[in-house]
Amino acid sequence: MFYSERKDNYLQNIGYLGEQLDLYLVSLNIGTLWYGIGKEENYNDLDFVIMMAIKKVDADKFRKDMFKSKRKNLEEIWNGDYYLDIANIVRFAPSACNTQPWVVDSSKNELKVYRYRKEGKRGIMPIDMVKYYNQIDIGIFLCFID
């Protein structure tokens, strides 16, 4: 369970920190699943944000080829010809209902990451929750870039 104070960028922060845990667990062959639709009580005056389900799995049955994952084409999320070596990896960052709500403008000296909402692109996610989960997704994506 992830809890937080409601402060500026708290959802992006949870995404960033949670993805560090996600990647660490996966390195130990522990499967992870960001589970957002669940409802939990607050804890010690902190608001519930999101949860992560985990399960130990056999290494030979776990994430054999990430390149077979359903993800947007690089051209849909990456503008510019810089840092393409990382672009093809960071596009595999997980996101709520696989919405991948990010666009990157790359230049020689910087990457600018934007969150966007494409009408009708939300999978099974309730429409009123898209903005909420997409802010967590941006934190996850920033962790991948880092």
Side-chain angles (χ1 to χ4, degrees):
M1 307 289 187
F2 294 93
Y3 299 88
S4 179
E5 297 174 300
R6 287 185 184 249
K7 293 187 173 185
D8 289 347
N9 300 313
Y10 79 102
L11 295 173
Q12 292 90 337
N13 189 49
I14 289 293
Y16 188 92
L17 293 171
E19 188 56 26
Q20 290 180 44
L21 175 62
D22 183 348
L23 292 170
Y24 173 71
L25 292 171
V26 168
S27 76
L28 301 174
N29 293 323
I30 298 173
T32 60
L33 171 69
W34 287 87
Y35 190 76
I37 304 297
K39 182 69 178 150
E40 289 295 318
E41 298 294 321
N42 293 342
Y43 179 77
N44 287 347
D45 297 324
L46 298 174
D47 290 333
F48 170 74
V49 177
I50 196 166
M51 65 180 83
M52 183 182 289
I54 62 174
K55 182 180 181 193
K56 183 71 173 166
V57 293
D58 294 330
D60 62 332
K61 297 179 182 176
F62 189 55
R63 295 188 181 176
K64 293 180 182 178
D65 187 353
M66 73 178 195
F67 295 102
K68 291 182 179 178
S69 301
K70 182 181 175 186
R71 293 295 189 266
K72 290 181 180 175
N73 294 324
L74 188 60
E75 299 77 30
E76 293 180 76
I77 66 161
W78 202 270
N79 300 313
D81 296 325
Y82 295 93
Y83 307 103
L84 294 176
D85 54 332
I86 65 166
N88 272 309
I89 299 300
V90 299
R91 70 186 190 92
F92 289 95
S95 63
C97 296
N98 214 14
T99 56
Q100 298 172 269
W102 43 72
V103 173
V104 177
D105 289 337
S106 67
S107 66
K108 184 176 182 179
N109 296 317
E110 66 185 356
L111 297 175
K112 292 182 180 179
V113 178
Y114 302 93
R115 180 180 62 86
Y116 77 96
R117 181 172 163 243
K118 188 173 184 177
E119 291 297 322
K121 180 70 172 147
R122 61 184 182 90
I124 63 169
M125 189 184 324
I127 191 74
D128 59 329
M129 297 303 294
V130 172
K131 182 178 178 184
Y132 179 88
Y133 289 114
N134 285 174
Q135 290 178 76
I136 296 170
D137 295 340
I138 289 296
I140 293 169
F141 186 71
L142 291 174
C143 180
F144 262 62
I145 287 177
D146 189 32

